[in-house]
Amino acid sequence: MQNPFLESQLALGWQEQRTKQPDVTVVTEELKNLYYKRLLPIEKHYSFHHFHSPSYEDADFDNKPMVLVMGQYSTGKTTFIRYLLEEEFPGSRVGPEPTTDCFTALMYGEEERVTPGNAITVDPKKPFRNLDPFGNSFLNRFQCVQMPNPVLESISIIDTPGILTAAKRKLSRGYDFQAVLRWFAERVDRIILLFDAHKLEFSDELTRAFGALYGYEDKLRVVLNKADRVDSQQLMRVYGALMWSLGKVFRTPEILRVYIGSFWSEPRQRCDHYKLIELEEEDLLTDIRNLPRNATVRKLNDLVKRARLAHAHIISHLKQEMPTIFCRESKKHNLIYELPVIFTKIQQQHRVPAGDFPDCTKMQEKLLGQDFSKFKTLKPSLMNSLNKLLTTDIASLVPLFQQQEQRKKSLPAVLDGEFLGTFRRDQFKGDPFKEMLKDDEISEADSDEWVVEKYKPKYDEIFYNLSPHDGKLSGTKVKEWMTTTHLPNSVLAHIWRLADVDRDGMLDNEEFALAVHLIEGKLDGHWLPRELPSHLVPPSKRLSTSSDVAETTI
């Protein structure tokens, strides 16, 4: 089947929607069992949660992949989320100044519901129970929004407050913003960091926010947003400045991938780099779309990271060095001061790689408030269990991952057709794609009138000016004309799928008229239908469409 826009993505559309999803919980259940059996006893024995992160619960394994969206205010975070969801969400506000100081978790629910932070943290089915230590100052600024949105059936999205600039750095949030970001960074599957192409001010709070992302650079995707609002020369300079600034903050040999885009579903401004924006948008949406498929791999990766930390060796060494009775407090401070040397000793004695040690400065800060007398020495049975986890148990899961890899195409995923639509409710003018029936007794299916018919003479003129062959236009010709509307590629791809009713990769005069009708409605600020309503199906295609549906059902 020919697709003039996103040919590889189209295969994920109609096919995945109609393929029965296999049971992919086997790997997740195995990971959960291994954690509770092997790793959790060690974490409890050596008070892992006091120094690093709280223990995992069922919800951390069972919940959908999460995407954390962050950036300075007015970079387009909320607009980006609306673009993905195809609709407004409760509590969302857009403005050039900071409009909210609230973390919002967007999750799927049969009914639209907003749950305050204090209430959602006691729900065992949600992965937010360990946010309690941040206190009421944070929980009063945290909420969970549940919506019956198709995108949220596959992923959850975390919207964050806009990071303050240098001019507003004296304002206090009332809670540890950096610590909250790090809590989410550890648990999410993808971090989207947005920058505005018009301003690249690296404030103190932004730099501290970067500190929360250390160790999670593999999850990070940087987006230079609103790129259609600058010319190519300005874009080149802004892109270079952003890469230089990021290189100073993230001191890693790897270069972060920066996506160039304009993530909203309105017509873009025409620019020399218009094609580049389309390609970059496709790459980022593909990356997000693959998150549900790679969720178990991410969970395994995080589990191995926790297991490899040399925490037990550190606690055991500190316990052995403490005196039994005298000078315990002074010895404690000496040990904290000598922690870098202790790391080196442990590395040599137990052959622990340097990369498996936690951040020394942060570990020293955590140790100051601890009672070393309560620490415990190495327990051989626990260490043997940990070794078995890393050498045997994880290896036994590889065949399950291979089976899941073979069934990738059938796994649930966010389809590109769901990343579409307009979100301007204030400009909503009614839906021209829904037929209003005058008589309640007459169903939509019984109506023979095609609503596009009255506009068809105008659309036919465009159709025949494009020189159809054998009464049909090829995908290439249609694409060339469609792109003149400056609508995002993903929106045009969705319109193509709706208009190509017979799925032959070409459009006849009726299908082309339908495509133009959808485009005009979109440009006027209307919503696009997710599936083609029966009253919009061209008359000559209605019988064949019904037959296709019957075959699919069978």
Side-chain angles (χ1 to χ4, degrees):
M1 183 187 300
Q2 180 183 2
N3 184 330
F5 299 99
L6 306 174
E7 185 169 339
S8 61
Q9 296 178 15
L10 179 55
L12 293 174
W14 289 92
Q15 296 299 326
E16 280 189 317
Q17 285 177 319
R18 289 164 172 76
T19 305
K20 184 179 180 181
Q21 297 174 359
D23 182 14
V24 294
T25 61
V26 177
V27 178
T28 302
E29 287 298 321
E30 287 296 326
L31 284 176
K32 190 190 305 184
N33 293 335
L34 286 178
Y35 175 75
Y36 290 142
K37 180 181 178 181
R38 303 288 190 197
L39 191 55
L40 184 58
I42 300 174
E43 292 184 353
K44 289 182 176 180
H45 192 73
Y46 297 104
S47 303
F48 185 90
H49 61 283
H50 287 314
F51 301 92
H52 305 287
S53 59
S55 302
Y56 285 164
E57 298 182 349
D58 285 352
D60 294 305
F61 292 96
D62 298 335
N63 271 269
K64 301 177 181 68
M66 292 193 291
V67 178
L68 180 69
V69 182
M70 57 181 290
Q72 291 177 300
Y73 70 86
S74 190
T75 54
K77 297 187 301 300
T78 303
T79 302
F80 177 80
I81 295 174
R82 289 173 174 177
Y83 175 62
L84 299 185
L85 296 183
E86 195 178 342
E87 63 178 320
E88 294 266 11
F89 59 90
S92 64
R93 288 186 293 164
V94 176
E97 292 294 317
T99 54
T100 179
D101 186 25
C102 184
F103 281 79
T104 302
L106 298 165
M107 308 185 78
Y108 181 80
E110 295 296 335
E111 297 179 355
E112 189 172 291
R113 180 188 309 166
V114 179
T115 307
N118 281 289
I120 201 65
T121 54
V122 298
D123 186 349
K125 296 182 179 180
K126 298 292 187 294
F128 307 120
R129 286 166 56 88
N130 291 317
L131 283 170
D132 284 338
F134 295 110
N136 283 328
S137 296
F138 166 72
L139 295 178
N140 290 335
R141 295 176 175 86
F142 175 59
Q143 63 181 1
C144 178
V145 175
Q146 292 179 277
M147 302 167 58
N149 185 283
V151 173
L152 298 179
E153 291 187 44
S154 298
I155 62 173
S156 298
I157 303 175
I158 310 297
D159 189 16
T160 63
I163 297 173
L164 302 178
T165 60
K168 302 179 182 296
R169 64 186 177 186
K170 295 182 180 180
L171 298 177
S172 175
R173 295 186 183 272
Y175 60 91
D176 192 338
F177 182 65
Q178 181 181 359
V180 173
L181 284 179
R182 186 164 186 83
W183 189 95
F184 279 107
E186 180 182 1
R187 288 160 175 78
V188 300
D189 296 73
R190 189 67 73 236
I191 304 170
I192 306 295
L193 178 59
L194 288 150
F195 287 93
D196 190 335
H198 294 89
K199 56 181 182 182
L200 288 178
E201 182 180 4
F202 275 60
S203 64
D204 292 343
E205 187 173 61
L206 180 61
T207 304
R208 290 195 298 270
F210 287 149
L213 305 181
Y214 285 149
Y216 305 107
E217 290 85 358
D218 57 321
K219 301 180 181 180
L220 183 62
R221 302 293 183 269
V222 181
V223 177
L224 184 59
N225 202 19
K226 307 179 185 179
D228 62 327
R229 309 295 173 176
V230 297
D231 60 37
S232 297
Q233 186 178 20
Q234 291 173 322
L235 179 64
M236 180 181 67
R237 292 175 176 172
V238 172
Y239 182 84
L242 177 59
M243 293 296 292
W244 181 79
S245 299
L246 290 174
K248 290 177 60 180
V249 176
F250 294 100
R251 301 183 181 279
T252 60
E254 298 84 5
I255 299 176
L256 290 174
R257 168 71 188 272
V258 177
Y259 295 86
I260 298 171
S262 181
F263 289 93
W264 66 339
S265 60
E266 302 303 308
R268 299 191 179 104
Q269 292 187 3
R270 195 70 186 182
C271 52
D272 293 338
H273 48 276
Y274 188 87
K275 184 63 177 177
L276 174 64
I277 291 176
E278 290 183 341
L279 295 174
E280 293 283 283
E281 175 193 32
E282 180 181 340
D283 285 351
L284 182 60
L285 294 187
T286 300
D287 183 75
I288 297 175
R289 191 159 40 248
N290 288 332
L291 289 180
R293 302 173 176 181
N294 302 325
T296 51
V297 178
R298 195 273 302 172
K299 291 171 184 174
L300 173 64
N301 186 58
D302 290 348
L303 183 67
V304 173
K305 277 185 179 180
R306 292 174 72 96
R308 290 183 61 88
L309 276 177
H311 175 75
H313 291 289
I314 298 170
I315 297 301
S316 174
H317 185 91
L318 294 176
K319 174 65 175 179
Q320 291 174 346
E321 293 294 323
M322 283 293 292
T324 306
I325 301 176
F326 301 107
C327 304
R328 296 172 65 178
E329 195 63 25
S330 61
K331 182 62 175 180
K332 169 185 172 180
H333 286 85
N334 288 337
L335 289 173
I336 294 175
Y337 178 77
E338 296 173 356
L339 195 61
V341 178
I342 293 174
F343 280 10
T344 303
K345 288 182 180 179
I346 295 173
Q347 184 179 348
Q348 294 173 348
Q349 291 176 3
H350 299 280
R351 297 182 180 180
V352 179
D356 290 350
F357 287 87
D359 181 84
C360 187
T361 303
K362 292 182 179 178
M363 190 68 179
Q364 288 173 322
E365 294 175 357
K366 296 285 187 180
L367 287 170
L368 284 172
Q370 298 296 319
D371 184 359
F372 284 19
S373 63
K374 295 182 179 179
F375 288 174
K376 299 178 181 178
T377 57
L378 286 180
K379 190 174 182 180
S381 61
L382 289 178
M383 300 311 297
N384 290 336
S385 179
L386 178 62
N387 185 61
K388 186 175 180 181
L389 171 68
L390 294 174
T391 58
T392 306
D393 296 334
I394 297 297
S396 67
L397 289 181
V398 173
L400 293 178
F401 278 101
Q402 291 175 343
Q403 293 175 14
Q404 183 172 321
E405 184 73 19
Q406 293 172 358
R407 297 192 292 182
K408 250 187 176 183
K409 292 183 179 180
S410 300
L411 288 174
V414 180
L415 307 180
D416 55 338
E418 306 298 348
F419 289 105
L420 311 171
T422 183
F423 41 78
R424 300 180 303 169
R425 286 189 182 273
D426 57 324
Q427 299 183 25
F428 187 75
K429 305 172 184 177
D431 194 340
F433 307 127
K434 290 184 179 178
E435 186 176 25
M436 301 301 294
L437 300 178
K438 297 180 180 180
D439 188 349
D440 293 338
E441 297 180 357
I442 303 176
S443 66
E444 184 178 326
D446 294 333
S447 176
D448 293 330
E449 181 183 358
W450 188 37
V451 296
V452 185
E453 188 66 43
K454 56 184 176 181
Y455 308 106
K456 195 168 181 299
K458 178 179 65 174
Y459 301 153
D460 282 346
E461 184 177 349
I462 304 174
F463 178 81
Y464 290 108
N465 283 337
L466 294 175
S467 304
H469 180 68
D470 292 336
K472 291 191 175 185
L473 287 173
S474 66
T476 303
K477 288 186 177 181
V478 175
K479 177 183 177 181
E480 290 175 357
W481 180 84
M482 280 186 167
T483 52
T484 62
T485 64
H486 297 173
L487 285 170
N489 234 19
S490 56
V491 175
L492 296 178
H494 185 50
I495 292 174
W496 170 272
R497 284 194 300 277
L498 293 174
D500 186 15
V501 180
D502 56 12
R503 309 282 176 248
D504 65 350
M506 297 182 288
L507 300 185
D508 59 22
N509 61 341
E510 287 184 336
E511 291 173 323
F512 182 80
L514 172 60
V516 182
H517 180 68
L518 294 172
I519 288 174
E520 288 186 348
K522 180 63 184 160
L523 292 174
D524 285 340
H526 299 294
W527 299 84
L528 283 173
R530 295 185 186 278
E531 303 258 346
L532 191 64
S534 59
H535 68 275
L536 283 180
V537 178
S540 64
K541 304 293 191 301
R542 291 184 180 180
L543 182 60
S544 60
T545 303
S546 301
S547 302
D548 292 341
V549 173
E551 291 177 4
T552 303
T553 304
I554 294 173

